[in-house]
């Protein structure tokens, strides 16, 4: 009987974990957060009072895909922050599981690459789980509306992880162009491309 109860508890725990980690989709409310930036200050959506929306990207220090998309993320912020859509980058990796993703190494990277956007440390991976971010990079475009912050798009930045296709589809740019024209995006979800989020081994 004890074994049956234990198995039921384990199954229920696994179900809850899966539910908590379900990836947000278009139309969902985007959870707010207050996370420590590499400059030591806390950042939330409220840190951008004039924003029309946000480009929330879960990325990290050493994943080859994250490195490959790094300049494109910088370019997105430079292009769309003045239009009201700043980039907010969040590192979803547990620093014990990924030694390259400690807060100190995040600070070093942001300084060396001169990140123009905040790069936030998600202690305990709470925000990562709320958004259901699975890979690095994994991107969420959020609109600021009268009903709160709403997810408009989830997935990849474009369909060119190698960075060598001049005919690539620029998902993020297309979505924001639609939003700026007061239209719903034609594409609201794509397959995220990147390394899996790193978590501590459970004991």
């Amino acid at each position: 009987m004890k074994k049956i109860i234990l198995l039921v508890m384990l199954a229920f725990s696994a179900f809850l974990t899966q539910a908590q980690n379900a990836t947000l989709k278009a139309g969902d409310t985007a959870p707010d957060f207050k996370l420590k930036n590499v400059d030591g200050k806390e950042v939330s959506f409220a840190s951008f009072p004039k924003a029309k929306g946000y480009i929330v990207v879960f990325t990290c220090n050493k994943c080859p895909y994250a490195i490959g998309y790094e300049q494109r993320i910088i370019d997105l912020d430079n292009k769309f922050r003045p239009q009201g859509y700043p980039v907010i980058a969040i590192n979803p990796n547990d620093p014990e599981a990924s030694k390259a993703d400690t807060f100190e190494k995040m600070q070093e990277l942001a300084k060396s690459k001169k990140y123009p956007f905040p790069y936030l440390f998600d202690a305990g991976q709470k925000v990562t789980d709320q958004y259901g971010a699975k890979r690095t990079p994994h991107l969420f475009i959020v609109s600021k509306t009268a009903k709160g912050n709403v997810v408009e798009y989830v997935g990849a930045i474009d369909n060119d992880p190698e960075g060598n296709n001049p005919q690539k589809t620029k998902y993020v740019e297309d979505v924001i162009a639609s939003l700026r024209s007061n239209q719903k995006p034609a594409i609201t979800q794509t397959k995220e491309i990147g390394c899996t989020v790193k978590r501590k081994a459970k004991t």
Side-chain angles (χ1 to χ4, degrees):
M1 187 65 181
K2 289 183 178 179
K3 288 184 178 179
I4 294 175
I5 293 173
L6 180 60
L7 287 172
V8 171
M9 290 176 66
L10 288 172
F12 184 65
S13 176
F15 171 78
L16 284 179
T17 299
Q18 186 176 4
Q20 289 168 353
N21 294 344
T23 303
L24 295 179
K25 60 185 183 300
D28 288 343
T29 298
D32 203 349
F33 47 78
K34 188 176 287 187
L35 298 176
K36 185 167 68 169
N37 188 21
V38 288
D39 63 3
K41 299 178 181 178
E42 289 186 329
V43 170
S44 67
F45 286 145
S47 302
F48 302 88
K50 296 182 179 180
K52 299 174 183 176
Y54 315 90
I55 303 171
V56 180
V57 57
F58 291 84
T59 188
C60 67
N61 289 7
K62 289 297 182 182
C63 167
Y65 291 96
I67 293 171
Y69 273 104
E70 185 176 51
Q71 185 58 51
R72 278 175 272 184
I73 294 171
I74 293 171
D75 292 342
L76 286 175
D77 187 68
N78 287 333
K79 180 174 184 177
F80 292 113
R81 177 170 28 88
Q83 298 179 28
Y85 291 87
V87 165
I88 302 175
I90 301 173
N91 191 327
N93 288 339
D94 186 285
E96 291 186 29
S98 176
K99 302 300 183 185
D101 290 302
T102 64
F103 183 68
E104 291 73 22
K105 291 192 179 296
M106 288 173 58
Q107 289 178 307
E108 293 172 7
L109 179 63
K111 183 178 180 180
S112 67
K113 297 294 184 177
K114 298 180 180 178
Y115 281 179
F117 47 77
Y119 188 28
L120 309 181
F121 182 72
D122 184 16
Q125 300 176 302
K126 294 178 181 178
V127 177
T128 299
D129 288 343
Q130 287 179 323
Y131 277 74
K134 304 296 184 187
R135 296 184 180 274
T136 51
H138 197 168
L139 188 138
F140 299 75
I141 295 178
V142 177
S143 279
K144 185 191 293 185
T145 76
K147 297 180 180 179
N149 297 312
V150 177
V151 176
E152 300 282 3
Y153 168 83
V154 180
I157 293 169
D158 55 40
N159 63 346
D160 183 23
E162 280 76 34
N164 55 17
N165 179 12
Q167 304 302 318
K168 62 176 166 278
T169 302
K170 299 179 180 180
Y171 301 126
V172 173
E173 297 200 19
D174 291 347
V175 169
I176 294 180
S178 295
L179 295 175
R180 284 175 50 79
S181 299
N182 295 317
Q183 298 176 347
K184 284 296 181 183
I187 297 176
T188 59
Q189 183 175 353
T190 59
K191 178 66 177 176
E192 66 277 8
I193 302 170
C195 305
T196 56
V197 169
K198 302 300 181 287
R199 298 180 179 275
K200 284 188 295 186
K202 294 184 178 180
T203 54

